């Protein structure tokens, strides 16, 4: 498998973590978002959406990080990242969607670029926008978590895979995490696990 990735892409980061946790053999193919390589003809021929990540498999190319993660689960590849109990599984998915659908889309690179280039928002205003929506999202996530080292249960799930990249970028934009001790605890614990460490942005071949 080939994963088309960018070192600071939250969505690609999710898939890198999952590939590592599941022990799946893969090749990383960097696509530079800052240079708009995702809009180039070669990449669009693989992923018409022009977004990252994309996973190239023997069956074809699959885009959208959550679809990729669910495909890993549906094809029983590597260790399970969803609970077997249907209710617990739904709780994990609920948490994932809160990150991937409610927080990430309004804070991703193309939105921030639009704010700067089309609406004339300066860097301070753009960063204020980012922090506001992350904080509002984290306020909803914090009560969903218990006291354990992971989001749910005693093993990493798709919830942890979605949370860690979002916290990484929150810290990069200097979000004050003092109001979110449970989120911070999960983030810190996950980053003691080699699969998470190896997937971290600073450890990628295209890290800048």
């Amino acid at each position: 498998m080939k994963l088309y990735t960018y070192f600071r892409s939250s969505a690609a980061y999710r898939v890198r973590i999952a590939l590592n946790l599941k022990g799946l053999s893969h090749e990383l193919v960097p696509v530079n978002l800052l240079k708009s390589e995702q809009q180039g003809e070669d990449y669009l021929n693989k992923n018409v959406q022009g977004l990252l990540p994309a996973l190239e498999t023997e069956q074809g190319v699959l885009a959208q990080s959550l679809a990729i993660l669910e495909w890993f689960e549906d094809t029983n590849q590597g260790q399970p990242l969803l609970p077997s109990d249907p209710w617990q599984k739904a709780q994990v998915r609920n948490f994932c969607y809160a990150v991937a659908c409610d927080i990430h889309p309004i804070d991703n690179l193309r939105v921030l670029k639009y704010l700067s280039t089309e609406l004339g928002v300066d860097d301070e205003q753009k960063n204020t926008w980012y922090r506001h929506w992350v904080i509002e999202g984290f306020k909803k996530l914090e009560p969903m978590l218990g006291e354990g080292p992971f989001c749910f249960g005693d093993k990493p799930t798709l919830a942890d895979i979605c949370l860690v990249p979002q916290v990484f970028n929150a810290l990069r934009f200097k979000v004050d995490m003092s109001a979110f001790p449970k989120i911070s605890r999960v983030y810190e614990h996950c980053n003691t696990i080699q699969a998470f460490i190896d997937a971290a942005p600073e450890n990628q071949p295209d890290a800048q």
Side-chain angles (χ1 to χ4, degrees):
M1 292 185 289
K2 291 183 180 180
L3 177 66
Y4 293 86
T5 179
Y6 178 65
F7 77 110
R8 277 202 306 238
S9 162
S10 294
Y13 190 174
R14 296 169 195 155
V15 180
R16 294 196 304 263
I17 296 169
L19 285 164
N20 293 343
L21 283 171
K22 287 179 169 291
L24 300 177
S25 177
H26 62 281
E27 176 188 350
L28 297 177
V29 182
V31 178
N32 193 316
L33 294 182
L34 296 183
K35 295 180 179 179
S36 299
E37 290 179 355
Q38 77 278 13
Q39 296 300 321
E41 183 177 354
D42 288 346
Y43 185 71
L44 288 174
N45 285 337
K46 296 183 180 297
N47 179 11
V48 69
Q49 297 175 52
L51 301 170
L52 289 178
L55 185 73
E56 188 171 2
T57 76
E58 292 180 352
Q59 296 172 270
V61 176
L62 184 61
Q64 294 294 337
S65 63
L66 291 188
I68 294 170
L69 299 180
E70 292 277 3
W71 180 71
F72 289 155
E73 293 299 293
D74 289 342
T75 52
N76 298 310
Q77 300 192 61
Q79 72 175 63
L81 298 173
L82 282 171
S84 58
D85 177 79
W87 179 252
Q88 294 175 355
K89 185 182 298 184
Q91 294 301 307
V92 170
R93 285 181 168 136
N94 177 63
F95 190 93
C96 291
Y97 299 158
V99 175
C101 301
D102 295 340
I103 301 175
H104 179 237
I106 55 175
D107 276 331
N108 67 19
L109 181 60
R110 61 179 177 164
V111 170
L112 299 180
K113 277 186 174 180
Y114 184 83
L115 290 172
S116 298
T117 59
E118 299 297 327
L119 301 183
V121 170
D122 63 30
D123 285 345
E124 183 178 354
Q125 291 171 316
K126 180 183 68 176
N127 293 342
T128 297
W129 165 284
Y130 187 100
R131 287 190 289 267
H132 171 79
W133 291 114
V134 168
I135 289 168
E136 288 301 304
F138 283 3
K139 286 179 180 177
K140 309 302 187 298
L141 297 181
E142 182 78 5
M144 296 183 190
L145 300 177
E147 301 301 327
F150 297 108
C151 290
F152 300 95
D154 58 359
K155 295 179 181 179
T157 66
L158 297 188
D160 305 281
I161 288 171
C162 286
L163 180 64
V164 166
Q166 192 63 65
V167 177
F168 170 85
N169 280 306
L171 293 172
R172 189 163 68 90
F173 278 83
K174 296 181 170 55
V175 171
D176 181 1
M177 295 296 296
S178 61
F180 310 112
K182 294 179 181 179
I183 291 174
S184 297
R185 184 185 65 248
V186 170
Y187 178 75
E188 291 166 8
H189 179 72
C190 285
N191 280 318
T192 67
I193 298 169
Q194 198 62 47
F196 285 84
I197 294 170
D198 291 344
E202 65 270 19
N203 295 324
Q204 302 314 299
D206 59 329
Q208 299 172 3

